[in-house]
Amino acid sequence: MGIVAGIGVLVPFPFYYWLWRRPQAWVNLCGRGRDPSKVMALVSHLLKLIQILSLFSVSSLSWPPPLYFWPLFLFGQFLNFRVYQLLGESGTYYGVRFGKNIPWVTEFPFGYIKDPQYIGSITSLVACLAWVPFQYIALWVLGYVFMMHLESTEDLGTRAEAIS
């Protein structure tokens, strides 16, 4: 496994871990007048680009994709889109951890699929197995499994102070 590509795949997870464990530090770092969820989203998009470029560096693309690609990839992206549609940027990017009041959502996929955004991302990654070596997909999936475990419990005392 190319060490640089492996690091590129894993690069966002220490950031997410730190934000989950130390949300007040992130809010303080963002400063007054800057939405910590919006800043997190911007940083996350940059980190996602690094992940994608890392996968491309070890991929062998061919056309057409295998038949399993389309249903897996489209379902995974549907879940991601639906989560973002229901939660918005603040709900998707740790707004509750940053002291925001995020309404509880019960519409599909919530209540039907545990961790639907992570499951959607994992499903989309698995769809790419025809092009990307297994070990890179497995590494990225392990990062998501780690985050699902981390986010499955929350110490309410570690939430940031409410944003006014």
Side-chain angles (χ1 to χ4, degrees):
M1 170 163 42
I3 192 76
V4 173
I7 291 169
V9 165
L10 291 175
V11 77
F13 298 110
F15 174 66
Y16 299 145
Y17 174 84
W18 179 69
L19 292 181
W20 187 260
R21 299 296 298 243
R22 305 283 312 275
Q24 188 64 56
W26 179 251
V27 171
N28 295 343
L29 185 64
C30 289
R32 275 191 177 268
R34 295 189 67 192
D35 181 343
S37 294
K38 182 172 271 319
V39 177
M40 178 188 177
L42 291 171
V43 172
S44 295
H45 294 318
L46 175 64
L47 297 175
K48 187 64 61 191
L49 179 62
I50 291 169
Q51 284 181 303
I52 290 168
L53 290 174
S54 296
L55 283 192
F56 271 115
S57 75
V58 295
S59 297
S60 56
L61 300 177
S62 60
W63 193 259
L67 289 176
Y68 67 81
F69 172 80
W70 292 112
L72 288 175
F73 188 79
L74 292 174
F75 181 68
Q77 291 307 297
F78 167 74
L79 288 177
N80 285 328
F81 172 79
R82 184 74 175 135
V83 167
Y84 196 86
Q85 180 184 41
L86 292 170
L87 297 181
E89 185 173 71
S90 292
T92 303
Y93 292 100
Y94 289 4
V96 73
R97 298 288 295 149
F98 302 142
K100 293 183 178 188
N101 183 17
I102 307 297
W104 191 255
V105 175
T106 58
E107 290 101 58
F108 181 83
F110 296 99
Y112 298 90
I113 299 173
K114 186 171 172 34
D115 300 309
Q117 186 174 18
Y118 287 130
I119 297 302
S121 295
I122 290 168
T123 304
S124 295
L125 283 169
V126 169
C128 298
L129 275 171
W131 300 305
V132 181
F134 172 80
Q135 61 266 32
Y136 298 98
I137 299 292
L139 198 57
W140 196 331
V141 168
L142 283 174
Y144 283 142
V145 169
F146 170 75
M147 291 309 300
M148 285 189 288
H149 175 72
L150 178 68
E151 294 173 10
S152 69
T153 59
E154 180 185 14
D155 177 359
L156 298 179
T158 64
R159 284 188 181 178
E161 294 179 19
I163 297 173
S164 40

